[in-house]
Amino acid sequence: MSHVVNITLSPKEAADENKQSQLVSKMLKIKESDIALIRIIKKSVDARHYPLKVNLSLEVYVDAEPLPEKITFEYPSVAYSKPVVIIGAGPAGLYAALRLIEFGLKPIIFERGKDIVERSKDIAQIHRNNSIDHNSNYAFGEGGAGTFSDGKLFTRSKKRGDYNRALQRLVFHGADEAILYEAHPHIGSDKLPRIIKSMREQIIRSGGEIHFSSRVTDIKTSNGHVSKIIANNTSIITDYVVLSTGHSARDVYQMLYEQKIALEAKAYAMGVRIEHPQELINKIQYHNSPDRDYLPAASYSLVEQINGRGVYSFCMCPGGFIVPALTSQEESVVNGMSPSHRGSPFANSGFVTEIREEDFAHLRKEYGILAGLELQKRLEYAARAEAPDHYKAPAQRVSDFVFGRVSSSLPASSFVPGLVESRLDKWMPQFIASRLREAIKVFDKRMHGYLTNEAIVVGVESRTSTPVRIPRNPETLEHIHIQGLYPAGEGAGYAGGIISAALDGERIAEAIFRKEEKRESLTPPIY
Ligand SMILES: Cc1cc2nc3c(=O)[nH]c(=O)nc-3n(C[C@H](O)[C@H](O)[C@H](O)COP(=O)(O)OP(=O)(O)OC[C@H]3O[C@@H](n4cnc5c(N)ncnc54)[C@H](O)[C@@H]3O)c2cc1C
């Protein structure tokens, strides 16, 4: 039997393993030499008050007790099993594939983008202001939108699936075990690619398939059931299609719309990315604590109602970089990522407000259910018009944005392609700009110094969530009108973030297994 011990330490003490073992031996009244293993099961920094505290939950194994078992996943061979087509190799598609393998079904993935190595080269081209590949960029390619990200693994939708199993799967494929106990786990853009590659290798080893540079252009149905897909002008006949194409695949929404496949408009969010010096955020959040060396780069999470709408920080990247997340040259779209050490001198965050159907009602007549998408596009195009060359992005100092002034210069920034001074407060729709401006004033009261001309806002953060839902039958998770078609992940409107998309992918795999089980009486895997 192991013992669980909860302790609260200063950041310096928490970083000292000897200190932990001394305290544990005292609390459990055992000799330090009898302790076989101390394993952290929960860790959180409490920075609400000075002095700062670190809360630790430790699992202690004393000599002669069996040590915890290594995390493992059983992936059987599925080379000759029933195939399931998956469109898109993002977290939803990859997790669906791995779970299908566990159920003895064969995933066949079609991915419009390239594998990690080739994709990295295409991303480097955007940074060098050279070119953008419409199918291989920050949004498209192996691992999906989250591959070159901060890799935050927090989700509000833990109830929608087995959150711990989703994290353990990442550890099994190479992530650091710390993600299992950190209160706000993250992986980092330098480590994510290796994990994604390991998942791909597993899928192939088990007899599944992944086809890169394979954009799916059509989904055919017959008598209310999915019948085949078209990728690279080739038809693939199938009973099952997992549609996990993410929210940047506008051509997929257009294709479904033209085929009169039911879609729904939904609320979403848009705004800017805001970037401060990391040192400023550390000072504010850690109350100038001398323990800074023992603490991670500080983060924040802010939310407020302004004129009846939520305004909030989103996808905060401490010690990170603002990245050009556009999918075509007519748009300026920004997002954020951080390496695992979160060591850059900048702290960036999405800073967005809710967009409701009434905001795009005027576009409904012309664009139908895709009106929200059109509004999103227009904002991205307006941002590009301000910074037309070389994938640069329009930016303004934060105080200037709030008080409606021109920024005569811009401070240093993490955004590699470069910034162009611009009056974001003028060209953004006022219902967005005015709420963001008011919210910054409110947030400055909670984080003194947040409203400063040392910080910038960069345009635009428009892809936080999808403006379109692909509706599912809540029981079977199939499209409401098309059997065998399983809309999944963020693009379908059922997830927002890496882990929630992954969990949704797993749920879809389970739904397909249940359906196939009825048809073929398969045996469920035993754990
Ligand atoms: C820069 C950046 C940083 C982010 N940081 C975080 C973070 O730290 N934490 C977090 O939780 N979330 C983060 N996100 C969001 C997160 O990445 C997404 O929520 C998540 O990836 C959604 O997963 P998904 O599988 O549903 O879709 P996606 O990841 O978008 O994957 C969809 C895949 O489908 C492919 N595809 C699209 N159309 C087709 C087609 N027609 N044929 C074949 N393939 C197609 C795409 O190429 C893509 O690979 C970030 C996003 C970005 C862009």
Side-chain angles (χ1 to χ4, degrees):
M1 221 183 68
S2 59
H3 310 261
V4 173
V5 174
N6 296 313
I7 49 178
T8 300
L9 300 171
S10 73
K12 188 176 178 185
E13 288 169 334
D16 180 352
E17 285 181 10
N18 291 334
K19 183 79 196 169
Q20 290 175 21
S21 114
Q22 281 164 19
L23 267 174
V24 163
S25 90
K26 220 172 172 185
M27 289 171 82
L28 293 179
K29 298 189 175 60
I30 51 173
K31 281 196 238 152
E32 256 190 278
S33 55
D34 287 343
I35 298 172
L37 176 74
I38 298 180
R39 195 167 71 142
I40 305 174
I41 48 178
K42 237 184 206 160
K43 181 179 180 185
S44 61
V45 177
D46 186 351
R48 285 171 298 175
H49 307 287
Y50 185 81
L52 275 52
K53 297 275 173 236
V54 176
N55 296 316
L56 287 174
S57 251
L58 304 172
E59 194 170 31
V60 183
Y61 290 81
V62 185
D63 264 356
E65 286 171 351
L67 294 182
E69 283 177 16
K70 222 174 144 30
I71 293 167
T72 182
F73 285 81
E74 299 292 329
Y75 295 119
S77 170
V78 293
Y80 302 105
S81 303
K82 174 89 183 178
V84 173
V85 163
I86 297 174
I87 313 177
L94 288 174
Y95 268 69
L98 292 168
R99 193 83 181 116
L100 284 166
I101 291 173
E102 289 179 312
F103 285 127
L105 296 166
K106 174 179 175 169
I108 304 182
I109 304 180
F110 293 89
E111 166 55 55
R112 75 194 299 159
K114 299 181 191 165
D115 68 33
I116 296 274
V117 173
E118 293 304 313
R119 186 180 175 195
S120 305
K121 293 180 192 163
D122 292 328
I123 285 175
Q125 290 301 322
I126 310 174
H127 285 230
R128 289 190 197 114
N129 308 115
N130 278 346
S131 63
I132 171 132
D133 183 320
H134 292 195
N135 292 308
S136 176
N137 43 56
Y138 273 102
F140 298 152
E142 186 176 16
T147 307
F148 300 96
S149 77
D150 178 63
K152 270 177 291 299
L153 304 173
F154 182 72
T155 177
R156 287 194 193 90
S157 52
K158 288 185 184 175
K159 285 189 196 134
R160 291 200 195 150
D162 193 332
Y163 174 66
N164 285 333
R165 185 180 61 207
L167 294 187
Q168 285 171 351
R169 206 185 284 283
L170 287 166
V171 171
F172 181 72
H173 287 286
D176 193 305
E177 288 202 7
I179 65 167
L180 301 176
Y181 60 75
E182 295 280 0
H184 295 284
H186 99 112
I187 293 182
S189 52
D190 49 332
K191 297 199 170 159
L192 278 157
R194 253 184 292 136
I195 297 167
I196 303 290
K197 181 169 170 258
S198 159
M199 289 182 172
R200 179 227 303 163
E201 286 170 350
Q202 180 62 61
I203 291 167
I204 294 169
R205 232 182 355 261
S206 293
E209 296 174 20
I210 302 197
H211 302 271
F212 292 110
S213 300
S214 297
R215 183 166 78 90
V216 171
T217 46
D218 212 348
I219 298 172
K220 301 279 187 200
T221 60
S222 164
N223 298 324
H225 200 291
V226 80
S227 59
K228 62 181 169 186
I229 62 149
I230 313 288
N232 292 345
N233 295 322
T234 306
S235 295
I236 296 100
I237 294 170
T238 177
D239 287 340
Y240 295 112
V241 172
V242 179
L243 185 62
S244 48
T245 41
H247 62 23
S248 287
R250 290 179 174 154
D251 51 348
V252 172
Y253 295 125
Q254 190 66 37
M255 180 250 292
L256 299 174
Y257 182 63
E258 284 167 15
Q259 290 198 22
K260 302 197 169 31
I261 291 177
L263 301 171
E264 290 169 0
K266 66 180 268 299
Y268 60 110
M270 292 201 288
V272 292
R273 204 145 262 263
I274 188 163
E275 182 174 79
H276 291 78
Q278 180 64 52
E279 212 35 57
L280 176 69
I281 300 297
N282 291 343
K283 275 189 188 144
I284 300 173
Q285 296 299 77
Y286 291 154
H287 319 282
N288 278 320
S289 166
D291 283 334
R292 169 66 190 99
D293 288 351
Y294 305 100
L295 292 163
S299 62
Y300 60 82
S301 172
L302 297 163
V303 56
E304 183 62 40
Q305 285 287 315
I306 305 282
N307 299 332
R309 297 282 180 90
V311 182
Y312 51 95
S313 63
F314 176 83
C315 183
M316 206 253 146
C317 296
F321 298 86
I322 299 182
V323 298
L326 66 166
T327 44
S328 83
Q329 59 271 28
E330 302 86 28
E331 313 152 347
S332 173
V333 181
V334 286
N335 210 307
M337 74 174 193
S338 317
S340 52
H341 56 74
R342 286 181 165 168
S344 111
F346 301 101
N348 73 71
S349 174
F351 189 69
V352 295
T353 183
E354 270 180 84
I355 308 291
R356 294 192 186 153
E357 286 186 51
E358 65 211 60
D359 300 323
F360 46 85
H362 60 292
L363 299 168
R364 190 73 189 242
K365 198 165 168 214
E366 196 176 348
Y367 298 95
I369 215 76
L370 303 184
L373 208 65
E374 179 60 24
L375 184 71
Q376 189 189 44
K377 237 194 233 177
R378 287 187 180 187
L379 188 68
E380 295 170 2
Y381 284 28
R384 172 57 63 230
E386 290 292 304
D389 300 322
H390 307 302
Y391 317 118
K392 293 185 180 184
Q396 189 174 10
R397 288 183 187 258
V398 165
S399 300
D400 293 339
F401 174 69
V402 169
F403 299 111
R405 298 184 301 237
V406 176
S407 295
S408 51
S409 66
L410 292 171
S413 156
S414 67
F415 187 72
V416 175
L419 300 171
V420 172
E421 290 147 25
S422 163
R423 287 286 300 266
L424 273 76
D425 61 302
K426 278 208 157 163
W427 57 260
M428 293 186 85
Q430 276 313 297
F431 70 90
I432 299 179
S434 63
R435 283 193 174 88
L436 298 182
R437 294 162 78 177
E438 285 312 304
I440 291 173
K441 289 186 203 161
V442 174
F443 293 159
D444 187 59
K445 293 195 179 116
R446 287 183 214 154
M447 287 180 62
H448 300 299
Y450 193 80
L451 168 49
T452 167
N453 253 353
E454 281 183 69
I456 48 170
V457 283
V458 183
V460 286
E461 176 92 19
S462 50
R463 311 249 180 117
T464 59
S465 51
T466 172
V468 181
R469 179 177 292 111
I470 313 176
R472 305 197 291 220
N473 174 324
E475 296 287 310
T476 66
L477 306 190
E478 290 164 296
H479 184 270
I480 46 167
H481 299 145
I482 303 167
Q483 288 190 35
L485 177 62
Y486 292 84
E490 190 164 53
Y494 293 94
I498 295 170
I499 286 293
S500 66
L503 293 179
D504 198 51
E506 289 205 340
R507 287 176 70 209
I508 293 294
E510 285 154 18
I512 293 174
F513 173 72
R514 280 196 299 275
K515 182 159 175 169
E516 193 55 19
E517 192 186 22
K518 277 188 201 144
R519 282 164 45 143
E520 302 285 345
S521 63
L522 292 175
T523 335
I526 300 161
Y527 294 104

